[in-house]
Amino acid sequence: MSKQIGILRVGVTVAASAAFVLSWSSGFLVPAMAPAEISPLALLVWRFVPLAAVLLVVVGLTRAARGVTSADVRRQALIGLFAQFGYCTAVYAAIASGVAAGTTALIDAVQPLVVAVLVGPLLGLRVRGAQWAGLLAGAVGVVLVVRSQLEGSGAHPAAYLWPAAAMACLIVGTFLQRRSASRTGTLVTLTIHVTATAAALILVAVVSGDLVPPASASFWLAAGFAAAFPTLAAYGLYWWLLRRVGITALNALLFLIAPTTAAAGALLGEPLTPVTVLGFGLCAAGVAAVLVSEAREEPTPTAMLRWPRYLRGSDAPPPSGRQFPRVRRIDERPMSDRRRCGGTAI
């Protein structure tokens, strides 16, 4: 029975990972496919504002925010401003400045290597040798995938700072979330992030004069698509997978974003060369190496009971040779801590 449950959990994780890659990749195509006359800022505002209203109603009806403190709200609002407001505005600004969607995805794909360097000093986690090999293979694959898109770009060199800023914002938000003792579920977390982002976007749009949306059907179609997939689905799965598989494995999945974006571009008429296909293979191999290494180091149930860091979701194995704290049996509790029921201590 436990084996069947384990297989089911793996299947759910794989399906969620695939849905995350597809929904996150779609976010790069929305501003590129939107009509030229549509303001990217207006598209962002009306991507988040209606979704924030819907999520607030859902949280109110389900009472999912019970027990959430004002400190939790402030912490999650700060994370949302980095991970959603900062990230999305920088990506849209990059594409509006002429940077190709695939190139933006390429620069963002450097994130797993940056995270791998930082998880040690910031989180106390360890990236194993097989994971480093997978991360480097994935990085090479990403470079091959989008190399052709760098040719003939008319964007100003300064415009390439926008994708770098987007990557930095998502990294900061991810580390803040990983370090926080979050007591909010995925629904409440996402609601706070979206609401904080919507409020910040409204302020910026009022100052710039881009708050009023156009009446075109194409605008609302693009805004609705962006709200449903690259926001609700992608970010919801991002925070869920962060808790499920750990920061190293989750960031390895980001290597698949650029190939998926390039594949979608091929369906829209962009060239697909043998070098691109080779890059696809390297990205897939790199992600597989990281995930397989992570699975081999998954703690046993006994180790999870004996090593408190696993209870906090750490993806680092317990150091060898260190004495584990002893787990007391139920009947070893003091008599004052027991409750008797029918003469039996429970």
Side-chain angles (χ1 to χ4, degrees):
M1 184 65 179
S2 59
K3 183 177 180 180
Q4 294 175 341
I5 294 176
I7 293 175
L8 179 60
R9 285 175 57 87
V10 171
V12 170
T13 303
V14 170
S17 301
F20 162 72
V21 170
L22 291 174
S23 56
W24 194 280
S25 300
S26 67
F28 292 100
L29 300 177
V30 171
M33 295 173 60
E37 66 274 10
I38 292 180
S39 166
L41 181 57
L43 182 59
L44 266 180
V45 170
W46 295 103
R47 161 183 172 176
F48 280 94
V49 170
L51 180 60
V54 171
L55 288 175
L56 286 171
V57 171
V58 172
V59 169
L61 293 176
T62 60
R63 304 183 67 184
R66 284 179 299 178
V68 176
T69 65
S70 58
D72 294 329
V73 173
R74 290 194 298 270
R75 184 184 305 111
Q76 291 301 328
L78 177 62
I79 294 171
L81 289 176
F82 277 106
Q84 289 195 354
F85 174 75
Y87 178 81
C88 292
T89 52
V91 167
Y92 274 52
I95 296 176
S97 301
V99 181
T103 304
T104 304
L106 164 65
I107 298 175
D108 281 355
V110 179
Q111 177 177 327
L113 294 176
V114 177
V115 169
V117 172
L118 296 177
V119 290
L122 293 182
L123 298 180
L125 307 181
R126 179 168 59 90
V127 180
R128 294 171 285 276
Q131 292 180 326
W132 275 114
L135 292 171
L136 292 174
V140 173
V142 168
V143 172
L144 292 177
V145 167
V146 299
R147 187 182 63 176
S148 61
Q149 295 187 347
L150 294 174
E151 300 175 358
S153 174
H156 190 276
Y160 290 91
L161 294 176
W162 285 115
M167 176 190 68
C169 286
L170 187 59
I171 289 175
V172 172
T174 302
F175 273 94
L176 288 176
Q177 180 75 353
R178 194 65 173 82
R179 288 177 64 90
S180 67
S182 177
R183 293 181 297 175
T184 59
T186 301
L187 174 60
V188 176
T189 298
L190 187 61
T191 301
I192 298 173
H193 292 181
V194 170
T195 304
T197 300
L201 286 170
I202 289 175
L203 293 177
V204 175
V206 168
V207 173
S208 65
D210 291 321
L211 181 60
V212 179
S216 64
S218 59
F219 172 84
W220 291 109
L221 181 63
F225 179 87
F229 292 99
T231 305
L232 185 61
Y235 274 101
L237 289 169
Y238 186 86
W239 301 122
W240 185 81
L241 287 168
L242 179 64
R243 299 174 182 177
R244 180 104 174 182
V245 302
I247 191 170
T248 304
L250 172 61
N251 278 271
L253 292 173
L254 294 179
F255 279 136
L256 298 177
I257 302 298
T260 305
T261 304
L267 297 177
L268 299 176
E270 295 181 0
L272 186 65
T273 66
V275 175
T276 305
V277 176
L278 176 61
F280 287 179
L282 283 174
C283 288
V287 173
V290 173
L291 297 182
V292 168
S293 176
E294 193 76 16
R296 288 177 177 173
E297 295 292 336
E298 184 176 354
T300 62
T302 304
M304 291 179 69
L305 287 174
R306 295 187 301 177
W307 192 246
R309 290 186 64 185
Y310 282 122
L311 302 180
R312 299 197 298 269
S314 171
D315 50 2
S320 58
R322 182 167 179 174
Q323 181 65 39
F324 292 122
R326 188 171 67 94
V327 177
R328 292 191 303 174
R329 297 172 60 89
I330 294 178
D331 57 0
E332 292 178 319
R333 291 178 298 170
M335 181 62 71
S336 59
D337 293 342
R338 302 183 193 179
R339 178 166 57 87
R340 293 190 175 275
C341 179
T344 303
I346 62 172

